[in-house]
Amino acid sequence: MGRSLFIGMASAHAIALALVAAPAAAQTEPAAPAAAPASDPQTTADATSEDIVVTGFRRSLAEALELKREAVGIRDSIVAEDIGKFPEANVADSMQRIPGVILSRDGGAGTNEGQRVAIRGLSSDFVVTTLNGAPVRTTSAGSVGSSSRAFNYDVFPSELFGRVDVYKSPLANLEEGGIGGNVDLQTPRPFDSKDRVFRYTAQYSYNDQSEKWRPRGSLIVSDHWGNFGVLFGAAYAKTVNERSGFQSTGGYNSSTLGRRPYYGSVPSNTSGPFQFELNLDSPLANLGNLTRAQVANALLPRFYRVYTSNTERERMGFVGSVQYKSGRFEASIDGIYSKLADQMDEFTFGVPVRNSRTAPGTTAIPGTGTNSGIIPLDVKIDQYNNLYGTFGNTSIIGESFFRDFETKFSYGVARAKYDFSDQVTLQAQGSISKSRAWQSGNRIVSNIYGITTTYDPTVNVSYPTITSPTSFTDPANFRDPSLGFSIQREDDTVKSLRSVLDWTVVDTGDSSMAFKVGGSYVSSLKSRTAQDGSSIARAATLPNGGTFASSGNGVFQYMDPFLQYGTLNNGGNAGYPSNFATFSRDFVMGTLGANEANRQAPRQLNATYEAEERVKSAFLETSFKLTIGGHELRGDAGIRYSDTETIINNYTNLGGAFTPNRRNGGYQNWLPSASLAFDITPKLLLRGSIGNTVTRGALNDIAGSIVVPNVFNNAVTVGNPDLRPQVATTYDAVLEWYFAPAALVSIGLFEKDITDQPVAVTEDVPFAAAGLDPSYFSCAAFGGPTGTCTLAQVNALTNNNPRILRTIVQNAGQLKLRGLEAAYQQNFTFLPKPFDGLGLTSSFTLIDQQQKGIDYNFVLTNGSVVALQSVPKYTYSITGFYEKGPFSLRGSYNYRSKTGGAQRNTANDEISYFAAQGYLDATVAFKINDYIELRVDALNITNENTYTFYQNPSKSVGETHRDNSYFNGRTFSFGIRGKF
């Protein structure tokens, strides 16, 4: 980032500090943070003009802008167009329109839905999510077992919410924990509308890659009689998404580097990301016009294989509220229940390059015995130094992988508010939420040995050629079946109490001063378990007699000669394997009883723990308003104290046996904050904010015993119960120009200085010192064949010197983020009819990262140093809309630039990046009357290619070294909605 941004940030410091030091006389912030009820969508109009009739999406934007205008700190909101009528199909999708908010679409289940949000370059672990002001936790597809602090928004139907507030600057009364920011989801209540509400939606969704149709619908009913009101809502949706593409699963390497460990001891991280050797000495080797050195130094992926998945998703949700409201007293009981279930069938198929050689001078088949390596028969090298062509002595590994995910979330909150007088108000609430999530992964691995294959990525990098004279659809060609079954559970229970007293000391209209004092107690209990039913399933009786363990290659009589859900899209390349033999879900889940076996298996004590955090907090906040020279100054200042107690119950491996272990810990934090908002003119506003906040470490990093992330890699992670939270000092300065009704141009600078950042420290230690059982791993992790290992096999494969990479997370880093945010919103009412229905809302965020205390630089073998950025350099969002009479149209494009991360050079000089992404979504609607509105929603219209890639920064090699390169297809929803 240019020097100008850093000069600007110095100005931001000066503005923020000057504002905080300004004299204070006080005012309660107009839009109360977490527990404020949503504005009445039936009655709210544009606060700055009566010339515009604000309806639909434009009204939603206008109300959100008014909430932003009234706030003192840095806050943005998304407001429902009406009860049960949230602007987007997913709450997270709506938030990506907010400056600095970055959405991750659901990679776990391969759908087009938004799942998590990051704020200002900090991941979802740095974001605290609350429901009606009460902290909650939940996880879903693909993230069960990670025990992160991230919140998965895809668990909930968007129809159940009325408003979302995103706080990017700290307030003393907000729950601590979100260095990135705080997100408060607010459910609707009966008195949010002055009349009875009966709103419905009915849709059918279609994914053009799976070619499947599924239903979606919702119903919201709300009414009140006198002082009492009742609201009930239900929503249901099903989708089917198909994903296809290519995987390398671990980078690219050359034979020159990958062969080094086969010939003796070599320094760590100097043999590339994986081991392999080409057999250039074979009499069959044919290098053509290439030299031996060129071929040996060209790059091959760890795998060249097909990836595809088909996910059937079902989600249902219910919301309810009973509300009482009188002159001075208000109370409500609110609740949510949601269930999200995914059934994911996943298949991979291709050639393993890694560990292709175990001893020199032999010709054993790949993956067994003393294999002599892959033989180049007719190869070429492209302009990016990729080696491709025809190879001999290769093998095929196919996986039939069946995943199931389920999350059940329930939440209830009782709240009350009493106005003792016009000056004194007491609010209190108690809540409890439970998230019960599990995921299973059950796979069968199959092999075809000693065949000739052709690999060519130059035709289509996401759909490369992978062919062979050997049939891929004949089950008789497969050998050595092996299975691996597992199930993981992650349960969260959060109980919270909160009480706040508001006292307005002075309120003359032009000036005011108020105090807010309160406290909270939050108990968060997380438990994690894992079970492996592989051995039980191997002993299951098969229909034709015998067991999986005893039948050997006879298991392949149960294999189908096709992909379970049909021929794949090949991207226009006929050489891409669009069909290959697989096992069915019925065989794995039914015949072998995979999940029943998993549930019968003993808990894996290395991956079992329970961790509780008890946080007692108190805060004092003062707010004020005063007039200086005819200009209004508003502000708040406060301090929050939190006392965190941690109680961890896990298991420690001592002498090869796991024993229960209990650890207690804790820490305290004082977190001051202050914000000011100054009206330079009636339309021009300057904000400044400064404050401290924290983010607690991931519980997996704190409470984990011994976790094996991948049975095919000789690596483990261990927990660190002494891990401290990260602490940040944040600075903000924003200039906002409300130049027309419902219009805004803003530009702001921010900085976050983070200390005690967790850093994963990896050490190469003897296998015996790690307290591990060899059965945790496949022999492939130590250069042998696939299949569970014994200690004797591990020793034989490593010359009695097995090693393991042990990773532990420690507080060792410092991170500084500096950024710029800009936003523009306007209704183009000045245009001639019919173009006066047009409008635009957009945002842009630029972020620069500086890392200290850990090596966030990538050192090339030539000595050059490349600074890495683990957050997107920039993101932007553009939403254009048109609303005129009964017709409305909206299109949104959201983009984020590529990101890299902390990584070490293993001598291949390749850096891993997550590629830039841009998603185009749209909605078109036609309102026949209040009862019926026709609507079409489209997600991922351009069918965005999501992928990671490896790149040598010293060479102009593009993004051709692909990994996890997928297409998810487009999703279209057709239906009606309306109200009575």
Side-chain angles (χ1 to χ4, degrees):
M1 185 180 298
R3 182 182 299 270
S4 59
L5 177 58
F6 298 127
I7 296 174
M9 279 311 310
S11 302
H13 270 290
I15 293 171
L17 292 170
L19 287 171
V20 170
Q27 174 225 336
T28 301
E29 186 171 334
S39 302
D40 185 348
Q42 301 280 341
T43 59
T44 302
D46 191 314
T48 57
S49 173
E50 297 181 357
D51 297 333
I52 300 174
V53 179
V54 185
T55 60
F57 182 66
R58 290 202 294 174
R59 176 163 59 189
S60 170
L61 293 178
E63 291 186 9
L65 202 62
E66 187 62 22
L67 289 169
K68 180 182 181 71
R69 175 74 174 85
E70 293 174 351
V72 175
I74 315 300
R75 190 187 77 183
D76 292 274
S77 300
I78 303 291
V79 180
E81 299 173 31
D82 202 342
I83 287 182
K85 195 178 179 184
F86 211 75
E88 273 81 16
N90 184 296
V91 174
D93 292 338
S94 288
M95 284 191 285
Q96 66 185 331
R97 290 190 271 111
I98 293 175
V101 174
I102 304 165
L103 174 70
S104 66
R105 306 226 174 185
D106 180 8
T111 73
N112 281 321
E113 292 191 48
Q115 186 182 56
R116 294 179 171 183
V117 297
I119 299 178
R120 289 179 163 178
L122 292 171
S123 73
S124 50
D125 288 312
F126 291 84
V127 179
V128 167
T129 299
T130 55
L131 262 175
N132 300 318
V136 289
R137 288 180 182 168
T138 190
T139 187
S140 64
S143 55
V144 178
S146 65
S147 298
S148 74
R149 296 184 183 274
F151 185 88
N152 289 15
Y153 293 90
D154 58 350
V155 171
F156 303 114
S158 64
E159 296 91 340
L160 306 186
F161 297 98
R163 192 173 106 191
V164 178
D165 290 326
V166 179
Y167 298 85
K168 292 182 282 188
S169 62
L171 282 169
N173 72 82
L174 291 178
E175 290 296 325
E176 75 285 341
I179 291 178
N182 287 53
V183 176
D184 185 47
L185 306 172
Q186 298 181 23
T187 56
R189 297 190 179 102
F191 284 97
D192 289 348
S193 176
K194 66 179 181 180
D195 299 316
R196 177 184 302 161
V197 174
F198 186 101
R199 176 169 291 283
Y200 74 92
T201 65
Q203 293 178 300
Y204 254 87
S205 297
Y206 174 79
N207 178 264
D208 68 349
Q209 195 151 295
S210 68
E211 300 182 346
K212 298 291 194 310
W213 291 86
R214 291 295 184 270
R216 174 173 183 151
S218 67
L219 176 66
I220 300 285
V221 179
S222 176
D223 203 356
H224 43 82
W225 308 268
N227 294 334
F228 286 93
V230 176
L231 178 145
F232 175 79
Y236 178 82
K238 292 188 77 171
T239 58
V240 181
N241 268 74
E242 186 177 308
R243 165 183 279 181
S244 63
F246 166 79
Q247 281 186 329
S248 76
T249 71
Y252 288 68
N253 203 12
S254 69
S255 181
T256 296
L257 289 175
R259 70 191 292 270
R260 297 185 68 195
Y262 298 132
Y263 297 92
S265 177
V266 297
S268 178
N269 295 302
T270 60
S271 57
F274 57 91
Q275 299 173 18
F276 86 102
E277 182 179 13
L278 294 172
N279 186 358
L280 302 180
D281 296 322
S282 169
L284 299 177
N286 178 13
L287 309 186
N289 60 356
L290 299 172
T291 67
R292 184 183 178 101
Q294 285 177 312
V295 173
N297 287 288
L299 298 174
L300 277 170
R302 184 173 177 267
F303 263 93
Y304 47 92
R305 74 179 186 185
V306 172
Y307 175 90
T308 180
S309 66
N310 190 84
T311 302
E312 181 114 10
R313 164 166 286 191
E314 182 178 37
R315 177 175 50 220
M316 64 178 67
F318 303 92
V319 63
S321 177
V322 178
Q323 188 177 14
Y324 174 85
K325 196 171 186 179
S326 66
R328 290 193 176 276
F329 180 70
E330 177 186 345
S332 68
I333 298 176
D334 309 302
I336 280 183
Y337 174 83
S338 187
K339 178 183 176 182
L340 177 69
D342 293 314
Q343 180 176 289
M344 184 178 186
D345 296 354
E346 177 181 299
F347 302 95
T348 65
F349 184 87
V351 176
V353 176
R354 86 299 183 261
N355 291 330
S356 66
R357 190 173 201 273
T358 57
T362 62
T363 56
I365 59 176
T368 64
T370 53
N371 167 45
S372 60
I374 294 173
I375 305 168
L377 302 178
D378 181 14
V379 294
K380 299 176 183 178
I381 298 175
D382 69 9
Q383 59 183 319
Y384 310 111
N385 198 35
N386 289 313
L387 183 68
Y388 67 99
T390 302
F391 300 87
N393 200 28
T394 59
S395 63
I396 290 285
I397 291 183
E399 288 182 313
S400 299
F401 208 156
F402 302 98
R403 302 178 188 265
D404 292 286
F405 312 95
E406 182 181 275
T407 299
K408 293 180 180 178
F409 179 87
S410 57
Y411 158 88
V413 58
R415 54 181 293 275
K417 174 184 175 183
Y418 183 74
D419 297 329
F420 290 96
S421 66
D422 293 340
Q423 291 76 38
V424 180
T425 298
L426 177 64
Q427 300 182 63
Q429 69 177 47
S431 71
I432 182 171
S433 67
K434 294 183 178 181
S435 174
R436 302 291 181 261
W438 63 268
Q439 70 172 28
S440 64
N442 304 302
R443 62 178 158 189
I444 296 180
V445 178
S446 311
N447 302 273
I448 304 177
Y449 292 128
I451 64 172
T452 297
T453 55
T454 297
Y455 163 64
D456 186 353
T458 64
V459 181
N460 188 321
V461 68
S462 292
Y463 294 98
T465 294
I466 305 174
T467 60
S468 175
T470 302
S471 173
F472 293 158
T473 57
D474 185 354
N477 290 327
F478 289 83
R479 296 288 183 272
D480 290 354
S482 62
L483 60 78
F485 294 169
S486 67
I487 193 168
Q488 297 186 75
R489 291 180 177 82
E490 188 171 336
D491 293 345
D492 287 282
T493 301
V494 181
K495 301 175 183 178
S496 69
L497 297 171
R498 175 182 168 90
S499 179
V500 181
L501 180 70
D502 288 282
W503 177 29
T504 301
V505 180
V506 176
D507 189 357
T508 65
D510 292 333
S511 63
S512 65
M513 182 177 184
F515 292 94
K516 188 188 297 284
V517 61
S520 65
Y521 172 80
V522 180
S523 167
S524 301
L525 179 67
K526 181 183 287 288
S527 64
R528 181 185 186 275
T529 60
Q531 294 162 280
D532 186 327
S534 301
S535 60
I536 296 174
R538 290 189 192 100
T541 302
L542 298 176
N544 295 336
T547 65
F548 191 97
S550 66
S551 296
N553 293 326
V555 169
F556 293 110
Q557 66 180 296
Y558 303 101
M559 196 180 206
D560 295 327
F562 50 78
L563 262 168
Q564 299 299 310
Y565 41 83
T567 302
L568 299 179
N569 173 31
N570 61 18
N573 177 22
Y576 181 77
S578 300
N579 231 324
F580 44 87
T582 59
F583 287 95
S584 69
R585 171 174 278 268
D586 286 343
F587 178 71
V588 172
M589 307 300 289
T591 303
L592 296 178
N595 278 346
E596 289 80 0
N598 286 329
R599 293 185 175 101
Q600 292 171 21
R603 293 180 302 164
Q604 293 180 301
L605 298 183
N606 66 301
T608 296
Y609 62 78
E610 182 179 270
E612 183 179 10
E613 284 181 343
R614 300 171 182 171
V615 182
K616 291 172 281 190
S617 300
F619 62 86
L620 174 64
E621 190 175 284
T622 179
S623 57
F624 68 87
K625 178 178 72 175
L626 57 87
T627 302
I628 301 176
H631 303 275
E632 186 177 275
L633 175 68
R634 294 172 291 132
D636 60 58
I639 188 165
R640 184 179 186 89
Y641 170 78
S642 66
D643 183 333
T644 304
E645 178 187 6
T646 59
I647 304 169
I648 298 168
N649 291 283
N650 58 13
Y651 294 85
T652 300
N653 190 293
L654 297 173
F658 282 99
T659 58
N661 177 56
R662 182 181 177 93
R663 289 285 301 269
N664 287 52
Y667 45 84
Q668 296 80 39
N669 296 102
W670 291 91
L671 305 171
S673 61
S675 299
L676 289 175
F678 182 65
D679 291 336
I680 300 173
T681 73
K683 295 183 177 181
L684 192 64
L685 184 150
L686 177 65
R687 300 183 195 274
S689 177
I690 185 173
N692 286 353
T693 188
V694 299
T695 286
R696 298 178 175 93
L699 286 173
N700 215 41
D701 296 337
I702 297 172
S705 298
I706 300 173
V707 177
V708 179
N710 187 337
V711 297
F712 296 105
N713 290 337
N714 61 332
V716 297
T717 61
V718 297
N720 179 5
D722 297 320
L723 193 68
R724 300 185 304 275
Q726 301 177 68
V727 180
T729 302
T730 67
Y731 308 88
D732 285 276
V734 184
L735 188 65
E736 300 170 359
W737 181 29
Y738 297 85
F739 60 93
L744 167 73
V745 170
S746 70
I747 186 167
L749 301 172
F750 65 85
E751 179 175 307
K752 295 180 182 292
D753 296 333
I754 303 172
T755 60
D756 280 341
Q757 188 184 21
V759 176
V761 178
T762 301
E763 301 171 311
D764 186 350
V765 300
F767 185 82
L772 294 166
D773 190 298
S775 63
Y776 296 162
F777 297 91
S778 166
C779 280
F782 302 95
T786 58
T788 304
C789 242
T790 65
L791 183 58
Q793 288 173 299
V794 171
N795 285 328
L797 290 166
T798 59
N799 295 321
N800 293 311
N801 185 31
R803 310 286 293 183
I804 199 80
L805 295 175
R806 183 176 61 188
T807 300
I808 186 171
V809 176
Q810 300 176 351
N811 295 103
Q814 298 178 42
L815 175 66
K816 177 174 288 188
L817 294 174
R818 291 174 169 175
L820 177 148
E821 287 179 351
Y824 166 63
Q825 178 178 315
Q826 187 175 14
N827 296 314
F828 299 150
T829 53
F830 54 86
L831 294 177
K833 296 181 179 180
F835 303 107
D836 56 342
L838 288 169
L840 183 72
T841 180
S842 59
S843 66
F844 175 82
T845 303
L846 184 66
I847 302 171
D848 184 79
Q849 170 185 295
Q850 293 181 357
Q851 199 84 18
K852 295 180 180 179
I854 68 170
D855 188 3
Y856 247 73
N857 293 322
F858 192 87
V859 182
L860 300 174
T861 52
N862 64 10
S864 301
V865 178
V866 179
L868 297 175
Q869 177 148 338
S870 60
V871 301
K873 194 79 171 178
Y874 63 93
T875 64
Y876 63 84
S877 172
I878 301 174
T879 299
F881 56 91
Y882 180 83
E883 289 188 337
K884 190 73 173 178
F887 180 75
S888 64
L889 172 68
R890 180 167 80 248
S892 296
Y893 184 75
N894 297 278
Y895 179 90
R896 64 175 181 78
S897 62
K898 72 176 185 181
T899 59
Q903 49 200 288
R904 300 169 70 182
N905 190 359
T906 57
N908 71 339
D909 286 346
E910 293 256 312
I911 298 176
S912 175
Y913 292 98
F914 195 87
Q917 286 186 358
Y919 284 94
L920 178 63
D921 306 321
T923 297
V924 59
F926 185 83
K927 187 176 181 180
I928 297 175
N929 51 44
D930 282 345
Y931 309 118
I932 299 177
E933 178 184 271
L934 306 178
R935 181 182 174 99
V936 179
D937 295 287
L939 293 176
N940 193 24
I941 294 172
T942 59
N943 193 16
E944 180 72 358
N945 181 201
T946 62
Y947 60 94
T948 56
F949 66 94
Y950 300 88
Q951 188 174 57
N952 185 328
S954 66
K955 300 177 181 178
S956 179
V957 295
E959 300 178 358
T960 59
H961 298 163
R962 291 288 182 94
D963 192 4
N964 298 325
S965 185
Y966 306 140
F967 290 90
N968 291 335
R970 306 166 183 85
T971 301
F972 302 93
S973 297
F974 306 86
I976 61 173
R977 67 180 187 178
K979 66 178 181 178
F980 295 95

